[in-house]
């Protein structure tokens, strides 16, 4: 594989951990063929080493300023991955009461490093987060601020909050995952923020603690991050002049990766990102909160699947796999590209095919008109860079059990989620 060879030079740890050894695809030193034999398919496989490495890249790039990397749980909310990151010192960015419970279960000491984002928090979620003593609520509307004040008062717990401001900055990414323009539902108009902090400061239950921003996801250029932070930094200076003791700036997440098979130097990407944020922050010394999701886990994971059928309809060839859009929805939802590679390398010629799942929808595809090794039924293929927004966006559509998940730690593989059964699926239903 071109990618694997190129990766080797990029950094001491391959920027992507899936490489061929003896013509068989491995995750670190574990063979994917062996994993499929043991745990069946479809199977999500993640490299623990890669996730820890990515987290440490962030730690190093921001080492010169006080900061907390709050991993965005939604990217991959597996308890084992949360525990791994929690033990490395990560905080967490959550968007629901469910994610809060995941953090509590995975690594309880990290609760005090949790930031709570999301446009529609409910009273029960706010209560649970207040009781857990989280670091900061990222508030997205005046109504939410009123609810937060009311819940804080009724529990007798003061709430540290940041307004998530909308900086009206354009981040070139897919429209579904761009969030920083005034036409989006996210955040509060940056121009309205001062008045809202002034009003909030009157409540003894609300502590104006930070300002937060998040402009979108899978952003490859770093200039939009600098532009957004510049606006936030100016606001923070103004808020301080207004008498608020603003301690934290939350820069959100969004740093993108390369889903193609081009070489990827993860360390360099994080350094570029850190430099852009430093530019936006100028002399500002506030505690910096970061919410990366995809960058930490995407390239650490692959979805392993077996070819069920190869068939021709007219001029087209279809490779039908046992994984489907319910297991990995990114291609169907965003026309996202994932590299698809055979687990056993062969010297045979390649074919051009649509790689699709068995779900009853034409939108159930992983790739269209893709050149791929000539695979046959029974062969294994891997969808690469599937560690983020793969399993966490999976569903039971077509009443399909969701995949199992395995975490590779060096030479060992650990089952971190067993395969769902049909019985699991039927359990909550009443007749
Ligand atoms: N912080 C907030 C407030 C967010 O909304 C998100 C992602 C993140 C942090 C993490 O962003 P990241 O570093 O992962 O880009 N399902 C889509 C991505 C949706 C992103 C939603 N928000 C995909 O598969 O591309």
């Amino acid at each position: 594989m071109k990618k694997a060879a190129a990766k080797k030079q990029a950094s001491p740890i391959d920027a992507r951990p899936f490489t061929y050894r003896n013509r068989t695809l491995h995750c670190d030193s574990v063979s994917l063929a062996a994993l499929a034999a043991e745990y069946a398919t479809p199977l999500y496989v993640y490299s623990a080493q890669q996730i820890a490495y990515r987290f440490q890249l962030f730690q190093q790039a921001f080492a010169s300023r006080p900061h907390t990397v709050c991993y965005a749980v939604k990217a991959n909310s597996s308890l084992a991955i949360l525990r791994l990151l929690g033990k490395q010192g990560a905080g967490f960015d959550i968007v629901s009461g469910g994610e809060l419970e995941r953090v509590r279960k995975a690594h309880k000491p990290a609760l005090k490093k949790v930031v709570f984002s999301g446009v529609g928090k409910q009273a029960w979620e706010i209560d649970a987060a207040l009781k857990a003593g989280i670091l900061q609520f990222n508030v997205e509307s005046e109504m939410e601020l009123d609810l937060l004040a009311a819940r804080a008062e009724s529990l007798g717990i003061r709430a540290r909050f940041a307004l998530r401001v909308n900086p009206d900055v354009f981040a070139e990414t897919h429209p579904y995952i761009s969030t920083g323009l005034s036409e989006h539902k996210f955040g509060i108009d940056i121009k309205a923020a001062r008045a809202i902090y002034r009003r909030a400061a009157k409540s003894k239950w609300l502590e104006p603690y930070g300002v937060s921003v998040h402009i979108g996801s899978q952003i490859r250029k770093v200039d939009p991050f600098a532009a957004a932070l510049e606006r936030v930094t100016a606001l923070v200076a103004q808020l301080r002049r207004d008498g608020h003791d603003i301690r934290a700036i939350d820069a959100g997440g969004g740093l993108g990766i390369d889903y193609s098979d081009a070489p990827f130097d993860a360390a360099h990407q994080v350094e570029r990102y850190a430099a852009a944020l430093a530019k936006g922050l100028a002399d500002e010394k506030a505690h910096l909160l970061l919410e990366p999701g995809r960058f930490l886990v995407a390239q650490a994971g692959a979805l392993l699947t077996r070819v069920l059928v190869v068939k021709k309809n007219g001029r087209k060839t279809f490779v039908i796999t046992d994984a489907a859009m319910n297991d990995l929805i990114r291609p169907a939802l965003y026309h996202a590209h994932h590299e698809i590679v055979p687990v056993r390398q062969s010297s045979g010629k390649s074919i051009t095919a649509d790689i699709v799942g068995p779900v009853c929808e034409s939108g159930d595809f992983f790739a269209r008109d893709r050149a791929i090794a000539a695979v046959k039924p029974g062969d294994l293929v891997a969808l690469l860079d599937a560690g983020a927004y793969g399993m966490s966006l999976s569903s039971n559509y077509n009443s399909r059990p969701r995949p199992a998940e395995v975490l590779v730690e060096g030479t060992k593989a650990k089952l971190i989620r067993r395969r769902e059964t049909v019985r699991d699926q039927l359990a909550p239903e009443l007749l």
Side-chain angles (χ1 to χ4, degrees):
M1 193 168 64
K2 247 187 333 187
K3 167 163 45 185
K7 281 304 88 59
K8 284 244 152 61
Q9 294 140 22
S11 67
I13 293 187
D14 285 344
R16 286 182 242 199
F18 293 88
T19 52
Y20 287 100
R21 298 183 181 192
N22 304 324
R23 302 181 78 76
T24 300
L25 194 61
H26 282 60
C27 176
D28 297 330
S29 36
V30 174
S31 151
L32 294 192
L35 289 179
E38 183 159 2
Y39 301 107
T41 53
L43 182 72
Y44 273 103
V45 181
Y46 311 110
S47 159
Q49 178 180 267
Q50 183 67 205
I51 296 170
Y53 170 64
R54 293 294 175 104
F55 177 74
Q56 290 306 331
L57 287 183
F58 262 78
Q59 293 293 69
Q60 283 156 25
F62 290 96
S64 65
R65 61 173 77 239
H67 73 276
T68 305
V69 177
C70 298
Y71 165 67
V73 172
K74 66 172 83 70
N76 186 319
S77 38
S78 154
L79 291 175
I81 288 175
L82 300 185
R83 177 165 292 175
L84 187 168
L85 284 166
K87 283 187 173 166
Q88 295 270 320
F92 295 96
D93 165 45
I94 63 163
V95 289
S96 69
E99 288 190 348
L100 180 73
E101 290 317 304
R102 285 184 173 275
V103 173
R104 193 195 308 277
K105 186 156 183 187
H107 193 66
K108 206 168 168 200
L111 283 173
K112 59 178 188 301
K113 293 193 249 178
V114 162
V115 298
F116 191 173
S117 306
V119 287
K121 300 179 191 73
Q122 299 179 45
W124 71 269
E125 297 175 308
I126 291 175
D127 285 4
L130 281 168
K131 288 187 203 152
I134 69 160
L135 180 64
Q136 167 176 298
F137 288 84
N138 289 347
V139 171
E140 300 223 16
S141 65
E142 287 199 76
M143 243 173 109
E144 185 190 325
L145 200 57
D146 291 341
L147 179 62
L148 181 61
R151 297 319 308 160
E153 178 167 12
S154 94
L155 294 175
I157 304 171
R158 230 171 151 228
R160 282 179 292 270
F161 78 93
L163 288 193
R164 172 172 172 185
V165 294
N166 188 322
D168 204 17
V169 162
F170 179 57
E172 281 171 53
T173 185
H174 190 283
Y176 285 11
I177 52 177
S178 170
T179 57
L181 282 179
S182 53
E183 68 199 52
H184 296 131
K185 71 178 172 184
F186 297 97
I188 291 175
D189 183 354
I190 193 161
K191 294 191 281 300
R194 253 180 103 188
I196 301 173
Y197 277 96
R198 192 179 316 123
R199 189 168 75 83
K202 294 194 180 113
S203 162
K204 76 176 223 231
W205 298 105
L206 296 176
E207 180 183 344
Y209 184 79
V211 177
S212 82
V213 72
H214 172 77
I215 55 173
S217 193
Q218 181 53 13
I219 298 167
R220 296 299 315 276
K221 293 193 177 144
V222 295
D223 302 348
F225 294 115
L229 260 200
E230 209 171 290
R231 289 176 198 187
V232 167
T233 303
L235 173 64
V236 168
Q238 182 62 57
L239 291 173
R240 292 224 181 88
R241 287 196 291 276
D242 291 347
H244 308 294
D245 182 16
I246 302 294
R247 310 279 185 84
I249 291 182
D250 183 339
L255 181 60
I257 60 148
D258 190 338
Y259 282 93
S260 81
D261 64 356
F264 187 77
D265 184 344
H268 175 65
Q269 296 302 321
V270 181
E271 278 155 23
R272 275 174 71 224
Y273 175 68
L277 296 198
K279 184 166 167 246
L281 287 164
D283 298 331
E284 176 55 51
K285 298 279 185 297
H287 189 98
L288 182 64
L289 301 169
L290 301 153
E291 302 173 358
R294 183 189 324 264
F295 196 90
L296 300 188
V297 292
Q299 289 160 313
L303 175 58
L304 183 58
T305 177
R306 200 177 283 281
V307 175
L308 298 173
V309 175
V310 179
K311 75 176 207 177
K312 277 200 163 194
N313 270 359
R315 53 165 198 90
K316 282 191 80 95
T317 302
F318 291 91
V319 172
I320 302 171
T321 61
D322 65 3
M325 66 188 289
N326 72 294
D327 304 305
L328 177 67
I329 203 173
R330 302 193 69 259
L333 195 56
Y334 318 109
H335 286 123
H337 176 94
H338 286 264
E339 287 290 316
I340 304 175
V341 295
V343 168
R344 297 230 192 256
Q345 253 176 341
S346 69
S347 38
K349 62 175 170 45
S350 65
I351 53 169
T352 298
D354 283 18
I355 294 98
V356 303
V359 160
C360 303
E361 298 227 16
S362 296
D364 179 23
F365 61 85
F366 293 131
R368 287 182 156 156
D369 296 321
R370 178 78 65 87
I372 182 176
V375 287
K376 50 184 192 318
D379 287 354
L380 292 164
V381 297
L383 289 117
L384 300 182
D385 306 331
Y389 306 108
M391 187 64 177
S392 62
L393 266 164
S394 67
S395 77
N396 290 122
Y397 187 41
N398 278 208
S399 292
R400 289 166 49 87
R402 278 180 291 177
E405 293 175 291
V406 161
L407 185 64
V408 170
E409 291 170 335
T411 55
K412 291 204 204 69
K414 195 166 91 188
L415 185 68
I416 56 169
R417 182 184 165 114
R418 66 162 171 80
R419 188 171 302 284
E420 261 176 10
T421 62
V422 172
R423 184 193 284 248
D424 290 332
Q425 282 186 66
L426 299 189
E429 293 192 35
L430 308 169
L431 272 180

